[in-house]
Each structure stands twice: as structure tokens, then as C-alpha cells.
Amino acid sequence: TNDTTPTLKGTGTAGHTITVKDAAGQVLATALVADNGTWSATLAQALPQGAQTLNVTESNAAGQSSQPVALALTIDSMAPDAPPVWMAPGSDTGVIGDGITQETRPAIMGTGSQGDRIRVVMPETGEVLTTTVKADGTWTVSPTQALTPGFAGQVAVTATDVAGNTSAPSYLPIRIVVGDLSIVGSVT
């Protein structure tokens, strides 16, 4: 989760008290089990980044407690890096990496962490494309809406990790050129 003070929920015996402790035995939350047998407790203290094991116990009015139940969770509130992005080689019909292409629907690709959700927003059309980073760390999307020949703009790309943290955007300049690409460039 990306929530450092998550709300925990569970079931128990109505009227019993639930106690949530960290690995050092510090009480992080308590809750009373409702008449319907459910409880909910929000941690009062923020947990650090990384893997955590919390211990949950249930106590009756006489003060008898259950054996602790271990609850494993991972706190991840750090956004991924902005994803590297480029035009797919088959779409990059200009000099490789110059952002110039004759393709009006250029494939966009990049890298990231396996399982991250990639969101690509195409310029001009506003088309939003989404995909998931594959096991090999790569991703590719292909727009269905064509860009206008002569158009120049930037493709915006973000990555969202499995905990829900979203990166800052990466931008890929793109220019759609028709005709002879050998004459595109600067004149001195």
C-alpha cells in the first residue's frame, strides 16, 4: 500500500477489543468489534517504508487475549522514476532518436518496472493509451488515431506502480513529416 497509516479491517466476537501492535510490541491501533462482528482500525502512527509485520490480537472483557495473528504488509509511498520513452524503431523513420517520423500512428515504447501501469497521452488527438510493463521490463503502445502530417508536439508518459504511486511525466518530442526526410533539418 502507499498509505503509511492504513485502515485495517477484520472480524471478531462482538464486544471484544482488537489490538494492533508493531514488531517491537508498540500499540498502533485498537478497535471494538461491532455487533455485526466487524472491526476497523486506522493506525495512529505512520509506518516506515518497506515490509512490515503487525500483530493483531483479540481480547475479551475479562482481559483474556488470543494468540497474535501476524499481518504482513508493505509500505510503498515512493513514486517510480519518470519512464524512459522513445519511438519504436519501426516507426522512427527519420534519424533514429530525432523524433521525426512519416508514421501518423507511431508506436511508442519504453522501459519500467514489471507490473507498472503505463499511461501514454498522445499530442493533438488526446488519445490515452495504457499498458503494463512486461516481465522483461519493456512496454509498447500503438495509437489508433492518426496525427496530422506536419504536426509537432510531445507525447506524455507516466508510470504507476502496484502501490498506486504515479511518476512525474516523461515527454517525447514528435514531429510528423511527409515526403523526403533527407531535406528535414536546419539550413546554415
Side-chain angles (χ1 to χ4, degrees):
T1 180
N2 62 2
D3 184 352
T4 60
T5 56
T7 298
L8 308 176
K9 298 178 181 181
T11 59
T13 302
H16 285 189
T17 300
I18 302 297
T19 303
V20 180
K21 296 180 181 180
D22 64 15
Q26 180 179 355
V27 175
L28 301 175
T30 59
L32 188 61
V33 180
D35 290 340
N36 67 0
T38 64
W39 61 268
S40 175
T42 300
L43 302 186
Q45 180 179 354
L47 295 173
Q49 296 290 314
Q52 316 288 320
T53 300
L54 304 179
N55 292 304
V56 181
T57 57
E58 180 175 344
S59 303
N60 62 20
Q64 298 169 320
S65 295
S66 67
Q67 288 296 316
V69 174
L71 174 64
L73 59 100
T74 300
I75 302 296
D76 175 6
S77 61
M78 300 180 70
D81 292 335
V85 58
W86 58 91
M87 202 177 324
S91 292
D92 195 346
T93 58
V95 174
I96 299 299
D98 67 359
I100 297 172
T101 183
Q102 291 178 313
E103 296 291 328
T104 59
R105 292 180 183 92
I108 308 298
M109 63 186 306
T111 58
S113 296
Q114 179 182 357
D116 283 0
R117 292 182 315 274
I118 301 295
R119 182 178 189 264
V120 177
V121 180
M122 296 300 292
E124 185 183 33
T125 64
E127 181 177 6
V128 176
L129 306 160
T130 58
T131 191
T132 301
V133 178
K134 298 183 286 190
D136 68 359
T138 65
W139 58 267
T140 304
V141 295
S142 297
T144 60
Q145 299 174 24
L147 300 174
T148 305
F151 175 79
Q154 292 186 330
V155 176
V157 181
T158 57
T160 302
D161 65 21
V162 294
N165 305 302
T166 300
S167 72
S170 293
Y171 296 98
L172 172 67
I174 192 165
R175 184 172 161 201
I176 310 300
V177 176
V178 292
D180 185 0
L181 290 179
S182 65
I183 59 171
V184 175
S186 61
V187 177
T188 56

PDB file of all heavy atoms in Angstrom, residues 15-34:
ATOM      1  N   GLY A  15     -18.134  -7.030  20.844  1.00  0.00           N
ATOM      2  CA  GLY A  15     -17.765  -6.553  22.172  1.00  0.00           C
ATOM      3  C   GLY A  15     -16.323  -6.774  22.556  1.00  0.00           C
ATOM      4  O   GLY A  15     -15.842  -6.209  23.536  1.00  0.00           O
ATOM      5  N   HIS A  16     -15.602  -7.580  21.801  1.00  0.00           N
ATOM      6  CA  HIS A  16     -14.187  -7.809  22.100  1.00  0.00           C
ATOM      7  C   HIS A  16     -13.348  -6.641  21.560  1.00  0.00           C
ATOM      8  O   HIS A  16     -13.776  -5.902  20.686  1.00  0.00           O
ATOM      9  CB  HIS A  16     -13.702  -9.124  21.486  1.00  0.00           C
ATOM     10  CG  HIS A  16     -14.173 -10.337  22.224  1.00  0.00           C
ATOM     11  ND1 HIS A  16     -13.699 -11.593  21.940  1.00  0.00           N
ATOM     12  CD2 HIS A  16     -15.069 -10.497  23.241  1.00  0.00           C
ATOM     13  CE1 HIS A  16     -14.288 -12.479  22.734  1.00  0.00           C
ATOM     14  NE2 HIS A  16     -15.124 -11.827  23.538  1.00  0.00           N
ATOM     15  N   THR A  17     -12.134  -6.509  22.108  1.00  0.00           N
ATOM     16  CA  THR A  17     -11.218  -5.440  21.709  1.00  0.00           C
ATOM     17  C   THR A  17     -10.123  -6.013  20.821  1.00  0.00           C
ATOM     18  O   THR A  17      -9.501  -7.026  21.154  1.00  0.00           O
ATOM     19  CB  THR A  17     -10.585  -4.772  22.944  1.00  0.00           C
ATOM     20  OG1 THR A  17     -11.631  -4.217  23.744  1.00  0.00           O
ATOM     21  CG2 THR A  17      -9.614  -3.669  22.543  1.00  0.00           C
ATOM     22  N   ILE A  18      -9.891  -5.346  19.711  1.00  0.00           N
ATOM     23  CA  ILE A  18      -8.803  -5.702  18.793  1.00  0.00           C
ATOM     24  C   ILE A  18      -7.631  -4.768  19.079  1.00  0.00           C
ATOM     25  O   ILE A  18      -7.810  -3.552  19.196  1.00  0.00           O
ATOM     26  CB  ILE A  18      -9.249  -5.553  17.321  1.00  0.00           C
ATOM     27  CG1 ILE A  18     -10.476  -6.429  17.041  1.00  0.00           C
ATOM     28  CG2 ILE A  18      -8.098  -5.835  16.367  1.00  0.00           C
ATOM     29  CD1 ILE A  18     -10.251  -7.919  17.205  1.00  0.00           C
ATOM     30  N   THR A  19      -6.429  -5.325  19.177  1.00  0.00           N
ATOM     31  CA  THR A  19      -5.220  -4.525  19.384  1.00  0.00           C
ATOM     32  C   THR A  19      -4.234  -4.857  18.277  1.00  0.00           C
ATOM     33  O   THR A  19      -3.970  -6.034  18.002  1.00  0.00           O
ATOM     34  CB  THR A  19      -4.581  -4.829  20.761  1.00  0.00           C
ATOM     35  OG1 THR A  19      -5.568  -4.585  21.778  1.00  0.00           O
ATOM     36  CG2 THR A  19      -3.369  -3.946  21.005  1.00  0.00           C
ATOM     37  N   VAL A  20      -3.707  -3.797  17.658  1.00  0.00           N
ATOM     38  CA  VAL A  20      -2.716  -3.945  16.585  1.00  0.00           C
ATOM     39  C   VAL A  20      -1.395  -3.402  17.106  1.00  0.00           C
ATOM     40  O   VAL A  20      -1.326  -2.253  17.562  1.00  0.00           O
ATOM     41  CB  VAL A  20      -3.144  -3.180  15.316  1.00  0.00           C
ATOM     42  CG1 VAL A  20      -2.102  -3.358  14.211  1.00  0.00           C
ATOM     43  CG2 VAL A  20      -4.524  -3.625  14.850  1.00  0.00           C
ATOM     44  N   LYS A  21      -0.345  -4.239  17.041  1.00  0.00           N
ATOM     45  CA  LYS A  21       0.986  -3.839  17.514  1.00  0.00           C
ATOM     46  C   LYS A  21       2.010  -4.018  16.399  1.00  0.00           C
ATOM     47  O   LYS A  21       1.848  -4.875  15.527  1.00  0.00           O
ATOM     48  CB  LYS A  21       1.406  -4.698  18.714  1.00  0.00           C
ATOM     49  CG  LYS A  21       0.532  -4.518  19.937  1.00  0.00           C
ATOM     50  CD  LYS A  21       1.021  -5.402  21.070  1.00  0.00           C
ATOM     51  CE  LYS A  21       0.139  -5.258  22.307  1.00  0.00           C
ATOM     52  NZ  LYS A  21       0.623  -6.130  23.399  1.00  0.00           N
ATOM     53  N   ASP A  22       3.090  -3.221  16.478  1.00  0.00           N
ATOM     54  CA  ASP A  22       4.194  -3.410  15.536  1.00  0.00           C
ATOM     55  C   ASP A  22       5.089  -4.531  16.056  1.00  0.00           C
ATOM     56  O   ASP A  22       4.834  -5.124  17.112  1.00  0.00           O
ATOM     57  CB  ASP A  22       4.954  -2.101  15.298  1.00  0.00           C
ATOM     58  CG  ASP A  22       5.654  -1.558  16.535  1.00  0.00           C
ATOM     59  OD1 ASP A  22       5.813  -2.289  17.534  1.00  0.00           O
ATOM     60  OD2 ASP A  22       6.063  -0.373  16.497  1.00  0.00           O
ATOM     61  N   ALA A  23       6.163  -4.823  15.329  1.00  0.00           N
ATOM     62  CA  ALA A  23       7.056  -5.931  15.687  1.00  0.00           C
ATOM     63  C   ALA A  23       7.730  -5.706  17.037  1.00  0.00           C
ATOM     64  O   ALA A  23       8.097  -6.663  17.725  1.00  0.00           O
ATOM     65  CB  ALA A  23       8.092  -6.130  14.596  1.00  0.00           C
ATOM     66  N   ALA A  24       7.881  -4.439  17.445  1.00  0.00           N
ATOM     67  CA  ALA A  24       8.501  -4.124  18.738  1.00  0.00           C
ATOM     68  C   ALA A  24       7.504  -4.172  19.893  1.00  0.00           C
ATOM     69  O   ALA A  24       7.881  -3.963  21.045  1.00  0.00           O
ATOM     70  CB  ALA A  24       9.154  -2.747  18.670  1.00  0.00           C
ATOM     71  N   GLY A  25       6.219  -4.413  19.591  1.00  0.00           N
ATOM     72  CA  GLY A  25       5.207  -4.509  20.631  1.00  0.00           C
ATOM     73  C   GLY A  25       4.495  -3.200  20.935  1.00  0.00           C
ATOM     74  O   GLY A  25       3.661  -3.137  21.842  1.00  0.00           O
ATOM     75  N   GLN A  26       4.784  -2.155  20.180  1.00  0.00           N
ATOM     76  CA  GLN A  26       4.121  -0.862  20.387  1.00  0.00           C
ATOM     77  C   GLN A  26       2.703  -0.917  19.817  1.00  0.00           C
ATOM     78  O   GLN A  26       2.501  -1.354  18.687  1.00  0.00           O
ATOM     79  CB  GLN A  26       4.909   0.248  19.688  1.00  0.00           C
ATOM     80  CG  GLN A  26       4.283   1.612  19.846  1.00  0.00           C
ATOM     81  CD  GLN A  26       5.100   2.703  19.163  1.00  0.00           C
ATOM     82  OE1 GLN A  26       6.183   2.475  18.654  1.00  0.00           O
ATOM     83  NE2 GLN A  26       4.551   3.894  19.161  1.00  0.00           N
ATOM     84  N   VAL A  27       1.723  -0.453  20.602  1.00  0.00           N
ATOM     85  CA  VAL A  27       0.333  -0.437  20.159  1.00  0.00           C
ATOM     86  C   VAL A  27       0.167   0.653  19.101  1.00  0.00           C
ATOM     87  O   VAL A  27       0.476   1.816  19.334  1.00  0.00           O
ATOM     88  CB  VAL A  27      -0.636  -0.207  21.335  1.00  0.00           C
ATOM     89  CG1 VAL A  27      -2.070  -0.070  20.829  1.00  0.00           C
ATOM     90  CG2 VAL A  27      -0.523  -1.344  22.346  1.00  0.00           C
ATOM     91  N   LEU A  28      -0.339   0.252  17.929  1.00  0.00           N
ATOM     92  CA  LEU A  28      -0.562   1.189  16.823  1.00  0.00           C
ATOM     93  C   LEU A  28      -2.030   1.547  16.667  1.00  0.00           C
ATOM     94  O   LEU A  28      -2.355   2.609  16.139  1.00  0.00           O
ATOM     95  CB  LEU A  28      -0.040   0.595  15.507  1.00  0.00           C
ATOM     96  CG  LEU A  28       1.439   0.246  15.461  1.00  0.00           C
ATOM     97  CD1 LEU A  28       1.772  -0.432  14.140  1.00  0.00           C
ATOM     98  CD2 LEU A  28       2.282   1.490  15.665  1.00  0.00           C
ATOM     99  N   ALA A  29      -2.922   0.655  17.108  1.00  0.00           N
ATOM    100  CA  ALA A  29      -4.361   0.922  16.985  1.00  0.00           C
ATOM    101  C   ALA A  29      -5.132  -0.071  17.841  1.00  0.00           C
ATOM    102  O   ALA A  29      -4.660  -1.186  18.107  1.00  0.00           O
ATOM    103  CB  ALA A  29      -4.809   0.805  15.535  1.00  0.00           C
ATOM    104  N   THR A  30      -6.321   0.368  18.258  1.00  0.00           N
ATOM    105  CA  THR A  30      -7.264  -0.526  18.928  1.00  0.00           C
ATOM    106  C   THR A  30      -8.640  -0.272  18.330  1.00  0.00           C
ATOM    107  O   THR A  30      -8.900   0.810  17.789  1.00  0.00           O
ATOM    108  CB  THR A  30      -7.321  -0.299  20.458  1.00  0.00           C
ATOM    109  OG1 THR A  30      -7.708   1.048  20.702  1.00  0.00           O
ATOM    110  CG2 THR A  30      -5.996  -0.606  21.123  1.00  0.00           C
ATOM    111  N   ALA A  31      -9.491  -1.269  18.420  1.00  0.00           N
ATOM    112  CA  ALA A  31     -10.858  -1.140  17.903  1.00  0.00           C
ATOM    113  C   ALA A  31     -11.767  -2.073  18.696  1.00  0.00           C
ATOM    114  O   ALA A  31     -11.328  -3.116  19.197  1.00  0.00           O
ATOM    115  CB  ALA A  31     -10.908  -1.489  16.424  1.00  0.00           C
ATOM    116  N   LEU A  32     -13.028  -1.695  18.775  1.00  0.00           N
ATOM    117  CA  LEU A  32     -14.036  -2.533  19.408  1.00  0.00           C
ATOM    118  C   LEU A  32     -14.796  -3.268  18.308  1.00  0.00           C
ATOM    119  O   LEU A  32     -15.196  -2.662  17.320  1.00  0.00           O
ATOM    120  CB  LEU A  32     -15.006  -1.660  20.225  1.00  0.00           C
ATOM    121  CG  LEU A  32     -16.008  -2.391  21.106  1.00  0.00           C
ATOM    122  CD1 LEU A  32     -15.288  -3.235  22.163  1.00  0.00           C
ATOM    123  CD2 LEU A  32     -16.939  -1.388  21.775  1.00  0.00           C
ATOM    124  N   VAL A  33     -14.970  -4.573  18.465  1.00  0.00           N
ATOM    125  CA  VAL A  33     -15.709  -5.351  17.479  1.00  0.00           C
ATOM    126  C   VAL A  33     -17.189  -4.979  17.586  1.00  0.00           C
ATOM    127  O   VAL A  33     -17.778  -5.020  18.669  1.00  0.00           O
ATOM    128  CB  VAL A  33     -15.507  -6.870  17.678  1.00  0.00           C
ATOM    129  CG1 VAL A  33     -16.307  -7.651  16.630  1.00  0.00           C
ATOM    130  CG2 VAL A  33     -14.022  -7.234  17.610  1.00  0.00           C
ATOM    131  N   ALA A  34     -17.793  -4.585  16.466  1.00  0.00           N
ATOM    132  CA  ALA A  34     -19.189  -4.152  16.419  1.00  0.00           C
ATOM    133  C   ALA A  34     -20.138  -5.335  16.599  1.00  0.00           C
ATOM    134  O   ALA A  34     -19.730  -6.505  16.532  1.00  0.00           O
ATOM    135  CB  ALA A  34     -19.471  -3.457  15.085  1.00  0.00           C
TER     136      ALA A  34
END
